[in-house]
């Protein structure tokens, strides 16, 4: 076999990047449209410039062509300043000042709605009102406040094109007209010229296609910048911003756009287009030639092609909630890894339906939790339900709300709910606790096996069993020595020495040579892999380190869970005894084979549970 070299890996190109490359090549041939020149400085843009960038929600940024050429953000600032206004002044104040209905008018229309308010924040009248609101809150610091917020969306500090600002400021009488109209209707409370200075400056903020992609991805990610990890705005402000982008982002082309492309978007006369597909991606494109609506011709082409090729229309979705349960079983099928004494085993076998374990995978959404609740209802009610969330990638608010309601339902029937696989320090845990406030039947253990063990213990208690940390008097209970006579057992015991261990002490270390085996006489120990996975919890009456009979090196750690005593028998003495007593030796090896077979059956059941269709 040839080994792949680093160079061969590098040759592997993500198909999405290949697609963007192809788009760039295709649409570069498109030369229709005109560079905006009503702001004279914009007329100087190079019509050939063409950059595309796509940011994913795991923070990867694809770039093709002139993705690092700076240009002015123009109207693409509108959604961000609207979100900023919502978070800064509160939704009520902003929503009272600006409507959310599409106007069907061009961006610069000098028209207000029937209440003499702007139609929406995506047309100039609404955007100028947003800038005015920020000025109300921040005074002369308004522009810097906006610039720094947009920088958080982009993940870097953004500059300003002074020439474009001056150019628009000296020619922007139409926007001034809108400003005075707003002021005479008391929508704008601030000095019109000062508000317009903020607005013109925010439009002259310099961005690249890459910046726009990251900004869009932040919108698509509930306001959390996927590259920096910063929560830039509240999810409320973001979802309302995406709403107005959906209905009005492309001005008098908005209806057509959302019908055909189905991705919330915003364009700017500088030649940029920003598209944010919630939960998926952010796209930024730059090409200065515009169509009659003021939207970049190539940018529109790229968005249409992306949406069509990958079928990304946001209203063309489906989901199958049935994939959310990866395993659903009870302790009869897969008990905890704790060794149990005969009376405990008996109780647990009789009441194996008392503990139900549901292992979940993927996101916990409204549909997934609803499906899970119906699976629970379909079988006899257990006394304990363990939800294992270790493979749950994310939780939606709706999912957690429904889950908390399910806990409530279970509580009403005295069913104890146990969560595993979620850390108390995690955001998910916080969300669950918030929703499940006041619930007393909720327990949690990070490790699933610990959760199962705890539930089993409760079942044993409830049915009159005791889990005493009993001491064995000799080795007669040891399964490894089953079938041996009392005197043979005594001879074997005489080969070893009694040892005591403190709670937490490591008795056996993985990787060490195997030189002895142990019979646990009192206390509890656990066997775990070096990475922390707990393989078994052992109580008095069981052996450990017995793999020494087969393996030269220890394969796992053994640690004392509480103070414990064990009889340690050196391997060489044991081997000498076996040689002298071949019949006893054979019996012990058969017992060992039996124990290993039992472990294999348990392990196979686990594998089966997780891989069954
Ligand atoms: N600054 C520009 C204006 O107000 C922004 C317009 C746009 O990008 N559509 O005219």
């Amino acid at each position: 076999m040839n080994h792949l070299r680093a160079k061969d890996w590098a040759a592997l190109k993500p198909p999405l990047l290949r697609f963007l490359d192809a788009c760039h090549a295709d649409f570069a041939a498109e030369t229709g449209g005109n560079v905006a020149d009503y702001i004279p400085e914009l007329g100087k843009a190079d019509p050939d410039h063409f950059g595309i960038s796509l940011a994913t929600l795991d923070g990867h940024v694809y770039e093709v062509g002139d993705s690092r050429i700076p240009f002015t953000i123009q109207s693409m600032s509108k959604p961000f300043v609207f979100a900023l206004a919502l978070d800064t002044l509160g939704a009520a104040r902003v929503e009272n000042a600006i409507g959310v209905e599409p106007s069907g008018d061009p961006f610069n229309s000098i028209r207000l709605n029937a209440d003499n308010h702007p139609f929406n924040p995506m047309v100039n009248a609404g955007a100028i009102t947003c800038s005015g609101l920020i000025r109300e809150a921040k005074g002369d610091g308004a522009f810097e406040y906006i610039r720094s917020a947009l920088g958080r969306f982009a993940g870097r500090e953004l500059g300003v094109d002074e020439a474009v600002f001056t150019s628009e400021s000296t020619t922007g009488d139409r926007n001034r007209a809108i400003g005075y109209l707003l002021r005479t209707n008391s929508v704008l409370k601030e000095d019109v010229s000062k508000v317009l200075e903020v607005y013109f400056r925010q439009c002259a903020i310099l961005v690249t296609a890459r910046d726009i992609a990251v900004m869009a991805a932040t919108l698509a990610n509930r306001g959390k910048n996927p590259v920096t990890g910063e929560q830039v705005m509240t999810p409320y402000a973001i979802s309302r911003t995406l709403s107005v982008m959906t209905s009005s982002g492309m001005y008098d082309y908005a209806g057509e756009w959302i019908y055909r492309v189905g991705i919330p978007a915003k364009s700017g006369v500088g030649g940029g287009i920003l598209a944010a597909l919630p939960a998926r991606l952010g796209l930024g494109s730059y090409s200065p030639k515009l169509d009659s609506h003021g939207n970049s011709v190539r940018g529109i082409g790229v968005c249409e092609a992306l949406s069509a090729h990958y079928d990304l229309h946001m209203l063309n979705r489906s989901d199958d909630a049935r994939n959310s349960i990866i395993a659903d079983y009870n302790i009869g099928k897969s008990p905890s890894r704790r060794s149990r004494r005969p009376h405990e085993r008996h109780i647990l076998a009789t009441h194996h339906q008392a503990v139900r374990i549901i292992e979940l995978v993927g996101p916990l959404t409204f549909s997934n939790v609803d499906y899970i609740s119906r699976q629970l209802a379909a079988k006899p009610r257990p006394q304990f339900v363990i939800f294992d969330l270790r493979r749950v990638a994310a939780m939606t608010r709706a999912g957690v709300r429904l889950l908390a309601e399910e806990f409530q339902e279970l509580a009403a029937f005295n069913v104890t709910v146990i969560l595993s696989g979620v850390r108390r320090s995690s955001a998910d845990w916080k969300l669950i606790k918030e929703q499940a406030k006041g619930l007393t039947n909720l327990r949690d253990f990070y490790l699933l096996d610990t959760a199962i063990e705890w539930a089993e213990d409760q079942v044993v208690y409830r049915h009159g069993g005791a889990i005493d940390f009993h001491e064995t008097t000799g080795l007669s209970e040891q399964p490894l020595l089953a079938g041996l006579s009392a005197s043979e057992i005594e001879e074997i015991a005489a080969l070893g020495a009694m040892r005591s261990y403190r709670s937490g002490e490591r008795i056996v270390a993985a990787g060490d040579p195997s030189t002895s085996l142990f019979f646990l006489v009192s206390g509890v120990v656990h066997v775990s892999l070096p990475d922390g996975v707990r393989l078994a919890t052992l109580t008095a009456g069981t052996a450990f380190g017995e793999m020494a009979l087969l393996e030269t090196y220890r394969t796992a750690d053994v640690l004392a869970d509480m103070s414990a005593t064990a009889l340690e028998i050196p391997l060489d003495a044991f081997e000498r005894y076996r040689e002298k007593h071949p019949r006893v030796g054979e019996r012990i090896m058969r017992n060992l084979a039996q124990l290993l077979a039992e472990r294999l059956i348990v392990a196979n059941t686990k594998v089966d549970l997780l891989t069954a269709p």
Side-chain angles (χ1 to χ4, degrees), residues 17 52 65 79 203 237 248 322 409 510 589:
L17 183 53
I52 307 173
C203 288
S248 315
R322 287 167 295 189
E409 179 73 12
M589 292 316 276

Side-chain angles (χ1 to χ4, degrees), residues 38-39 42 72-78 107-108 122 124 128 164 168 175 199-200 203-204 251 266-271 290 293-295:
Y38 75 99
I39 300 173
L42 289 182
T72 53
I73 191 168
Q74 299 299 339
S75 279
M76 290 185 300
S77 64
K78 290 168 181 171
F107 65 88
N108 55 4
M122 299 296 103
N124 286 12
I128 291 167
V164 171
E168 183 165 21
N175 283 324
Y199 173 72
F200 290 147
C203 288
Y251 317 116
K266 187 75 203 77
S267 62
V269 289
L290 311 179
H293 306 281
N295 300 326

Side-chain angles (χ1 to χ4, degrees), residues 199-359:
Y199 173 72
F200 290 147
R201 258 190 202 286
Q202 97 190 26
C203 288
I205 285 177
L206 282 166
V207 289
T208 64
R210 182 195 160 90
D211 292 328
I212 287 298
V214 175
M215 295 172 90
T218 304
L219 292 175
N221 197 31
R222 279 168 59 94
K224 185 174 181 177
N225 182 320
V227 175
T228 65
E230 187 184 353
Q231 185 73 45
V232 177
M233 297 280 147
T234 63
Y236 179 91
I238 296 298
S239 57
R240 273 45 181 195
T241 298
L242 286 164
S243 307
V244 291
M245 283 169 64
T246 302
S247 52
S248 315
M250 304 298 272
Y251 317 116
D252 43 339
Y253 187 61
E256 185 91 14
W257 174 264
I258 216 64
Y259 184 84
R260 290 164 49 146
V261 178
I263 302 179
K266 187 75 203 77
S267 62
V269 289
I273 290 192
L274 164 163
L277 183 60
R280 288 290 174 273
L281 59 87
L283 182 88
S285 93
Y286 170 53
S287 168
K289 285 185 151 187
L290 311 179
D291 65 13
S292 57
H293 306 281
N295 300 326
S296 162
V297 174
R298 286 170 175 164
I300 295 235
V302 170
C303 291
E304 282 177 348
L306 181 74
S307 170
H309 184 75
Y310 293 111
D311 203 4
L312 293 179
H313 195 292
M314 66 173 176
L315 301 179
N316 196 9
R317 303 263 143 247
S318 78
D319 192 11
D320 191 339
R322 287 167 295 189
N323 298 325
S324 52
I325 296 182
I326 191 167
D328 181 354
Y329 52 94
N330 60 42
I331 50 169
K333 222 171 163 204
S334 183
S336 76
R337 292 166 172 148
R338 184 190 186 96
S339 65
R340 297 279 176 193
R341 302 179 62 211
H343 80 279
E344 296 171 37
R345 264 208 296 276
H346 178 73
I347 294 175
L348 292 173
T350 317
H351 301 282
H352 65 274
Q353 293 200 343
V355 183
R356 178 136 170 220
I357 299 115
I358 300 183
E359 297 189 27

Side-chain angles (χ1 to χ4, degrees), residues 443-470:
R443 311 265 325 193
D444 70 291
F445 298 93
Y446 184 68
L447 294 175
L448 173 59
D449 191 59
T450 316
I452 300 177
E453 184 180 321
W454 181 83
E456 285 174 350
D457 286 352
Q458 308 311 305
V459 173
V460 172
Y461 294 139
R462 279 188 195 181
H463 296 89
I467 300 170
D468 45 346
F469 298 109
H470 70 295

Side-chain angles (χ1 to χ4, degrees), residues 62-84:
Y62 293 107
E63 293 180 66
V64 177
D66 303 319
S67 60
R68 303 268 176 135
I69 298 272
F71 59 98
T72 53
I73 191 168
Q74 299 299 339
S75 279
M76 290 185 300
S77 64
K78 290 168 181 171
F80 302 104
V81 178
F82 176 59
L84 184 64

